[in-house]
Amino acid sequence: MTGAGISTAAGIPDFRTPGTGLYDNLAKYDLPFPEAVFDIEYFRRKPEPFFELAKELFPGAFAPTYCHHFIKVLAQENRLLRCYTQNIDTLERVAGLTDDHVVEAHGSFFSATCVGRGYNEDESLERRYFGSTTNSSPSSSSSNNKNGKPAQKRHPKLTEPTPRRPGCGRRYPLDYIRASLRANEIPTCASPRCAGVVKPDITFFGEQLPARFHAGLAADFAAADALVVVGTSLQVHPFAGLVARVARNVPRLLINREVVGTRETGFRPMAGAFEFGGGRDALFLGDCDDGCRRLAALLGLEEKVRDAMARQEGRAVFGVEEEESEGQEGAGKVDDFAPSSPVGVSLLDHYFKDLKL
């Protein structure tokens, strides 16, 4: 299971890191609230902010990280059952993972669909995000909503009704979106009777997850004999809840900059939370690439990962130090990998080194 943390080394910001995360740096898009940039209702009203952001995140500007190549090597070695990712950047595909190995839980830029444009005024973003219905007319004299509670003021950026034009559902490749963005245009449907907005097949807030996500989920997590979770806040459900889907005797490893997924961090369901120090769950606190290097070393795959990176078209080996000072491997990055820890190297040797992932 992977999240935005595996792509930060490629230059793509994650979503929630204070100061550098995507949601902390959206002021220039004049949004009513940060999440609106990925909200389907707001997109149908005003798609321009998303496509401005898409220019910065669009595939082709970034190269896969060590994490991506490590996952690809696991697949080559027949040690990967599936990679479930929250990421929309398609870097798993760029690294060489096939459709059979990757499940893009929140969709991706890889394809696009005509979704139409506009949304009815009674489809209220304010109701969903701010917890109450609002007056439908600026001239309304009523100060209460239908529940008798004071109505919240309608956000000025969401006041204009936008009549709904349903999309035709026509599918488009990634290059269709790319060409429109290069021309500083909003991608629109080529059908003359439609002209709806063409949206990348990214799962926005308010949309159902792709059918692919649900299709093999039960079988995959029942068959898994190890679970590695890398670079995710485990805050967005239903993806976050997948950590609880493996059997209770299946070892789990979290590689992340901070501890997540525990009862202490408010994870739900509590029965599936990580319990570090209990013998089953292991933790690497630090950079995702460093954690994957550590795991690659335990699996004896370092050279193969380096080779995979070197073969990346148009890219030299990057993000890998050819020499490490003696005794400095993972220095400053290791938490539960420390030999003195109750969940240490011996656990990882036992569970991961000779295991067919």
Side-chain angles (χ1 to χ4, degrees):
M1 293 172 55
T2 63
I6 75 167
S7 295
T8 55
I12 302 174
D14 63 14
F15 288 89
R16 302 177 190 277
T17 298
T20 61
L22 186 64
Y23 287 149
D24 269 7
N25 292 278
L26 292 174
K28 61 183 176 181
Y29 299 114
D30 195 32
L31 299 166
F33 44 89
E35 293 85 353
V37 74
F38 291 116
D39 187 282
I40 189 59
E41 293 183 14
Y42 187 78
F43 176 85
R44 283 176 169 143
R45 296 171 185 236
K46 191 176 180 181
E48 292 81 4
F50 168 77
F51 285 114
E52 284 299 314
L53 177 63
K55 293 177 183 178
E56 302 180 28
L57 301 178
F58 204 77
F62 306 97
T65 67
Y66 189 96
C67 291
H68 295 102
H69 288 291
F70 170 66
I71 296 169
K72 165 60 177 174
V73 169
L74 288 180
Q76 289 178 332
E77 296 293 304
N78 294 319
R79 298 190 181 195
L80 179 70
L81 173 61
R82 212 82 61 207
C83 173
Y84 281 75
T85 182
Q86 293 175 285
N87 298 337
I88 61 176
D89 52 38
T90 73
L91 289 183
E92 294 85 6
R93 295 176 181 272
V94 177
L97 281 182
T98 64
D99 283 342
D100 183 57
H101 279 118
V102 64
V103 176
E104 292 154 330
H106 295 164
S108 76
F109 280 101
F110 195 68
S111 60
T113 303
C114 173
V115 297
R117 186 166 186 172
Y119 227 85
N120 297 329
E121 180 64 5
D122 60 359
E123 297 288 353
S124 176
L125 281 166
E126 296 93 322
R127 180 169 60 249
R128 195 159 90 211
Y129 281 95
F130 303 125
S132 73
T133 55
T134 56
N135 299 323
S136 60
S137 169
S139 61
S140 173
S141 61
S142 172
S143 61
N144 294 335
N145 62 25
K146 64 181 180 180
N147 296 319
K149 297 180 181 180
Q152 293 186 0
K153 182 178 179 181
R154 180 178 294 280
H155 199 289
K157 297 171 187 173
L158 302 176
T159 55
E160 297 182 5
T162 51
R164 176 76 182 275
R165 298 200 302 270
C168 67
R170 185 173 176 177
R171 302 294 300 277
Y172 292 87
L174 179 147
D175 285 343
Y176 189 87
I177 300 289
R178 190 197 310 274
S180 295
L181 296 183
R182 285 178 174 172
N184 291 316
E185 298 174 349
I186 300 298
T188 55
C189 187
S191 174
R193 295 185 178 182
C194 178
V197 175
V198 176
K199 169 186 159 296
D201 291 332
I202 296 166
T203 305
F204 278 30
F205 293 112
E207 290 188 301
Q208 295 293 321
L209 268 61
R212 165 86 166 132
F213 172 77
H214 299 285
L217 188 125
D220 281 351
F221 282 80
D225 53 12
L227 176 64
V228 184
V229 182
V230 192
T232 172
S233 65
L234 291 180
Q235 291 188 23
V236 178
H237 288 266
F239 185 89
L242 297 184
V243 299
R245 297 292 294 265
V246 292
R248 292 191 176 186
N249 63 339
V250 169
R252 303 180 298 183
L253 168 64
L254 173 66
I255 299 173
N256 211 44
R257 287 187 177 275
E258 59 185 6
V259 176
V260 298
T262 64
R263 295 185 181 186
E264 292 76 14
T265 59
F267 181 78
R268 298 292 184 276
M270 292 180 64
F274 285 117
E275 296 183 16
F276 302 113
R280 174 197 183 191
D281 296 327
L283 171 68
F284 180 95
L285 275 183
D287 182 80
C288 293
D289 279 358
D290 288 346
C292 285
R293 287 191 188 98
R294 184 81 164 118
L295 185 53
L298 289 169
L299 291 164
L301 297 176
E302 290 176 294
E303 184 176 352
K304 291 184 178 181
V305 178
R306 289 172 185 260
D307 289 344
M309 296 175 73
R311 288 194 301 269
Q312 183 70 42
E313 184 177 359
R315 298 286 295 183
V317 175
F318 62 99
V320 180
E321 297 181 4
E322 292 297 324
E323 296 182 3
E324 296 185 59
S325 299
E326 184 177 352
Q328 293 299 307
E329 182 178 357
K333 301 291 186 178
V334 178
D335 184 72
D336 279 329
F337 267 49
S340 60
S341 168
V343 183
V345 174
S346 60
L347 178 143
L348 292 173
D349 281 337
H350 177 73
Y351 278 136
F352 288 98
K353 187 171 184 180
D354 296 316
L355 193 62
K356 295 181 179 178
L357 294 180

